Amino acid sequence: MEQLKRFIRKYFQSFSFFYSHLKHRVFIVVGLSIVIGILDGFGLSLFLPLLQIVDNPESVEPESLGNLRFLVDFIENSTIPLNLLTVLGFMIFFFFSKGAVQYLAGVYKVTVQQWFIKNLRLKNIHGLNELKYSYFVGTDAGRIQNTLTGEVDRIANAFQNYFFALQYAILVSVYTIFAFTIDSVFAILVTIGGILSDLLYKNLYRYVKSTSRSLTGETNFFQNLVLQHVGNYKYLKATGTLEKFSSKLEKSAVKIEKRNKKIGKLNALLGSAREPILIIVVVTVIYVQINFLGSELGPILISLLFFYRALSYLMQLQIRWSKFLSFSGSMENMASFGRELKVNKESVKANRISIKSIEMLEMDKANFSYGNQKVLNNISLKIEKFETIAFVGESGSGKTTIVNILSGLLPLDSGSYYVNDKNIGDIETESFQQKVGYITQDPVIFNDTIFNNVALWSPETEENKTKFWNAVNEASILDFVNALPNKENTVLDNNGANLSGGQKQRISIARELFKTVELLILDEATSALDSETENIIQKNIDALKGKYTILIVAHRLSTIRNADRIVLMKEGSTTVGTFNELLTKSKYFHKLVELQEI
């Protein structure tokens, strides 16, 4: 069984991709297509006895149908007389039944497609949520955005074209089998001609697939540039470098246009050349069979009717397959993205412990590296509930890394990290992180109302409204919200463009207070603010001291003078003490204080 799976994955990658998501639904689509072909084939087969009855009402030759003579035998052996009305009635029955099944197949295919796309989106979203943070920070943001948005739409097109191609391939096979049962010589000759024509298209298909793959790569790159363009718009605008950066976007857009045009031209060539080639094959075979092989025209015409059906669907198959290949690069990207999400998923132990409160945090002989660069070297640190701990040191000393570890975002390379004397790996991460508030120098502001920015889309119940107003009051932004025409229902611009830096920070603080967190992390929370605003925010933070366990990452030492303890970080090692203790025992800290003229 495992060998069969490997064989399918290797030689039927597209089928394997869809089957991995759709399971038995693939075979239902295939089964309905087979039923459609058989019903249509039975209906078409009755054209030969119909022609014979029209020519001579008293004479029908079942042998002319070859292996399909059982259709005429069935009618003759029943109590129904074999005449013109009987044959027409059976033809109507078969074609009506085919139409009904075709309708059901169409509805089922649309239902499956929408279910597939919905599940693909949800699977990717859940996979992204479960991704290791350490892997996420090194990924291409443009690729993630493109895969979750544009690529899903391309996969929807790939699905549609693939299953149309699959349906047409089944119908081609069914009609070819019917043609063989009536006139095998004619069928063999036409099949040989069809195979020869397919060889002409092989290299074109390979070229379309290669172009699709490069199109996906360029689209990922374009999405990444768009993210940078939007994220850095203010800087680019202020420094007059928008046009310079836009030229990169323009070049990428031109490349995407060229690749799309190339794929479109190839699809047009594949679609327009197929029918003339096939007609030449059919005409040649009929001429050879009648003039050199002495075959009768009647069976040839019915066999030709089947082949005409088969060739029509073959042309549609080629067109659909060509279009499918133009989206194949997106499928490869989606499959690769799915594997990456699975491989880099956070490992979760069974029967983990849910914590009710954060009483203590402790790191014991902790080590962490980024590649070959050692960031934390044998660090031990214990933090009690309601303590305010500050982390200081030069850039790259590991301040943000250590708070990311303490918040559960990054795992240690070696050593231990305990929450309430329980190893972090034994704790239910969500129950811990729901008690963590995180405020950075770039506040997170959603393009939504102030209420939703603070309450994170909690229902607007009376209880939540009370919590909201208490939070904005404690964050010293109550007067600002009340002064707005729509108050808490005011919609904030993207990234808080209609707010000052201080207002954005206070909304971020209010959000964490609304969540009733126990551990509050402030990572350079005031470093991007002017001195006056920084002092106001600092007073807000000082007012929270003793109510929360607070971890502060700071460059400005004046903001952490009142911390219970300060962790001085340098070259992977730490020195711990109060502000005054570090002034006495650390020359490095004393130098930092002098440089900042505190």
Side-chain angles (χ1 to χ4, degrees), residues 50-115:
L50 178 65
L51 292 174
Q52 292 173 348
I53 288 174
V54 170
D55 184 55
N56 184 359
E58 303 298 327
S59 175
V60 174
E61 300 176 6
E63 294 80 6
S64 62
L65 285 174
N67 292 328
L68 292 178
R69 63 172 295 166
F70 70 87
L71 291 172
V72 175
D73 290 341
F74 172 78
I75 298 174
E76 288 182 331
N77 293 331
S78 66
T79 57
I80 306 172
L82 182 60
N83 54 38
L84 181 62
L85 288 177
T86 301
V87 174
L88 290 175
F90 271 96
M91 290 177 69
I92 290 172
F93 169 76
F94 284 130
F95 284 117
F96 183 86
S97 299
K98 171 205 168 185
V101 175
Q102 200 163 22
Y103 170 76
L104 292 175
V107 171
Y108 183 75
K109 195 185 300 180
V110 169
T111 303
V112 169
Q113 180 184 4
Q114 296 308 313
W115 177 87

Side-chain angles (χ1 to χ4, degrees), residues 208 211 215 256-272 322-323 326:
V208 170
T211 305
L215 173 63
I256 291 172
E257 179 202 19
K258 287 181 178 179
R259 286 176 171 82
N260 274 320
K261 284 172 65 177
K262 188 179 293 184
I263 290 174
K265 289 177 181 178
L266 289 169
N267 285 334
L269 175 62
L270 290 168
S272 60
S322 176
K323 289 182 178 179
S326 68

Side-chain angles (χ1 to χ4, degrees), residues 361-367 376-383 391 402 406 412 414-418 565 567 569 572-576:
L361 306 174
E362 183 177 7
M363 298 174 68
D364 183 33
K365 298 178 181 178
N367 292 279
L376 302 182
N377 185 19
N378 210 34
I379 301 296
S380 293
L381 177 66
K382 188 174 183 179
I383 302 171
F391 298 88
I402 198 169
L406 290 169
L412 291 171
S414 62
S416 302
Y417 171 37
Y418 301 99
R565 285 186 293 158
V567 179
M569 305 190 68
S573 300
T574 60
T575 305
V576 183

